Amino acid sequence: MGAVPVVLAGARGHGRRHVENIRRLEGLGLVRLVGVCELTPLTEDEFGSEPPAQSADLGGLLDATGARVAVVCTPIPTHTGLALTAAARGVHLLLEKPPAPSYAEFRRMADGVAAAGVACQVGFQSLGSHAVPAIRELIADGAIGTVRGIGGGGAWARDKDYFRRAPWSGRRRLDGADVIDGALTNPLAHAVATALALAGADRAEAVAEVETELWHAHDIEADDTSCVRVTTEDGLPIVVAATLCAERPEEPYVLVHGSRGRITFWYKQDRVLLQRAGHGPEEFDHGRTDLLENLLDHLAGASTLLVPPDATGGFMKVVEAIRRAPDPAPLPERAWRELPDERRRIVPGVEGLVAASAGTLALYSELGAPWAAREVGAR
């Protein structure tokens, strides 16, 4: 195909990673960055060189540059509108996660993209890990017996500035529009999406019920300490626990519980630990397929998309349950403390609580967390 012309919408913040990746692919002769869509144009110092064409109007920029692919890394409430703007022009998409702030907006985006006949890849990079099919194969081969459930744990730390990085940060709504920027829907969304994928419950129809427990220690609207239980149509429980208030941050992971063992997947590291009866522990390191490269290969007819919109429908059912749940409750002051030098709040012992939730498939309230009320929300 030659170098595919690409426009990037959202080049600051997390978008800088897309700039780096596009530059890598430019070095391989696969793409050309022909435009950047930002409300405030990038300076040469910000971009590291003279930026390409810039505009705050994505549609006009796509028309002017003849871009074939758009990478959308903008605030969550803008995803659907910008995706449909690109799709209406026949431009293919890499759309950052979460794909939308509500299930209705997700369906509007997914249906519109399908009707336009363009390819759309959703940016769950963990689903590009070669560990995902390898774990599915282990499960199918009966390596750990019958799967009893899947847990997920993420104990991260974020300072106060993280929640002030943009007007929508840490918000559930902004100017009347849904945002739903919580721990499980944005920074640790990969734990939820990966657990669903390993359970074979990545599509919307596979999710039967979602229970939520949503809390925050920081002065925000959204949750920074939360857990969720998904019950699949087959009755399999999936419990993911997360916090952005860990005293000692740890690598997030997904844990597959079997009748004769378990599989732990540290998805940011593409690392897998297999523990099973009658065998010593086995560790595996896997590679990863970049999602923009996979999209390019798909357009060339060389591969299928790894993360099309419908493969995130199950995740969006979780987002919708969190959106419809009662607003996250503030943790009582006795449950957290301030680290002034680091400008953040921690919940003492929350790392152990996250691990116990993933390890036992229990919600925080079921583990006896003194601040957790039962069934904060269920859909």
Side-chain angles (χ1 to χ4, degrees), residues 165-332:
R165 70 194 190 280
W168 54 270
S169 301
R171 301 292 295 269
R172 279 173 67 81
R173 299 169 196 88
L174 181 63
D175 298 331
D178 289 318
V179 177
I180 319 300
D181 179 39
L184 288 166
T185 56
N186 195 8
L188 287 157
H190 285 88
V192 178
T194 306
L196 289 166
L198 293 179
D202 51 359
R203 296 180 180 268
E205 58 270 20
V207 172
E209 184 183 11
V210 182
E211 301 166 77
T212 62
E213 295 188 355
L214 309 174
W215 300 87
H216 59 85
H218 288 90
D219 292 325
I220 59 174
E221 286 182 354
D223 56 290
D224 60 29
T225 300
S226 47
C227 59
V228 63
R229 178 190 285 127
V230 178
T231 303
T232 72
E233 60 180 347
D234 298 327
L236 188 74
I238 301 169
V239 176
V240 182
T243 185
L244 304 179
C245 303
E247 185 171 8
R248 292 171 296 277
E250 300 171 352
E251 281 292 328
Y253 60 91
V254 172
L255 178 60
V256 184
H257 297 265
S259 58
R260 297 200 307 273
R262 65 183 191 176
I263 301 168
T264 308
F265 174 29
W266 290 273
Y267 58 80
K268 285 179 66 68
Q269 300 175 327
D270 302 312
R271 183 164 62 93
V272 173
L273 173 64
L274 171 62
Q275 297 167 290
R276 51 183 171 164
H279 297 78
E282 301 173 74
E283 286 200 38
F284 308 92
D285 292 312
H286 294 273
R288 177 178 291 208
T289 298
D290 175 74
L291 296 184
L292 182 52
E293 282 190 76
N294 173 247
L295 174 60
L296 297 172
D297 286 343
H298 175 72
L299 297 180
S303 66
T304 57
L305 283 179
L306 287 170
V307 198
D310 282 350
T312 66
F315 170 78
M316 284 306 307
K317 281 296 188 76
V318 176
V319 172
E320 181 68 6
I322 291 172
R323 185 184 76 86
R324 296 178 62 190
D327 285 346
L331 286 169

Side-chain angles (χ1 to χ4, degrees), residues 333-359:
E333 289 191 10
R334 68 180 182 276
W336 57 266
R337 62 186 176 89
E338 197 96 26
L339 296 183
D341 292 345
E342 299 180 32
R343 294 180 48 76
R344 66 186 181 95
R345 294 177 180 181
I346 64 168
V347 177
V350 74
E351 299 96 329
L353 191 64
V354 166
S357 181

Side-chain angles (χ1 to χ4, degrees), residues 116-155:
V118 301
C120 179
Q121 180 100 281
V122 180
F124 282 108
Q125 286 289 346
S126 62
L127 300 184
S129 175
H130 303 166
V132 171
I135 293 171
R136 287 172 173 159
E137 187 173 345
L138 286 171
I139 292 171
D141 289 345
I144 57 170
T146 302
V147 173
R148 304 297 194 194
I150 297 181

Side-chain angles (χ1 to χ4, degrees), residues 71-102:
V71 177
V72 176
C73 184
T74 56
I76 300 165
T78 69
H79 284 186
T80 294
L82 293 180
L84 294 178
T85 293
R89 289 163 170 79
V91 175
H92 307 285
L93 285 154
L94 173 60
L95 179 64
E96 258 301 344
K97 59 81 187 164
S102 70

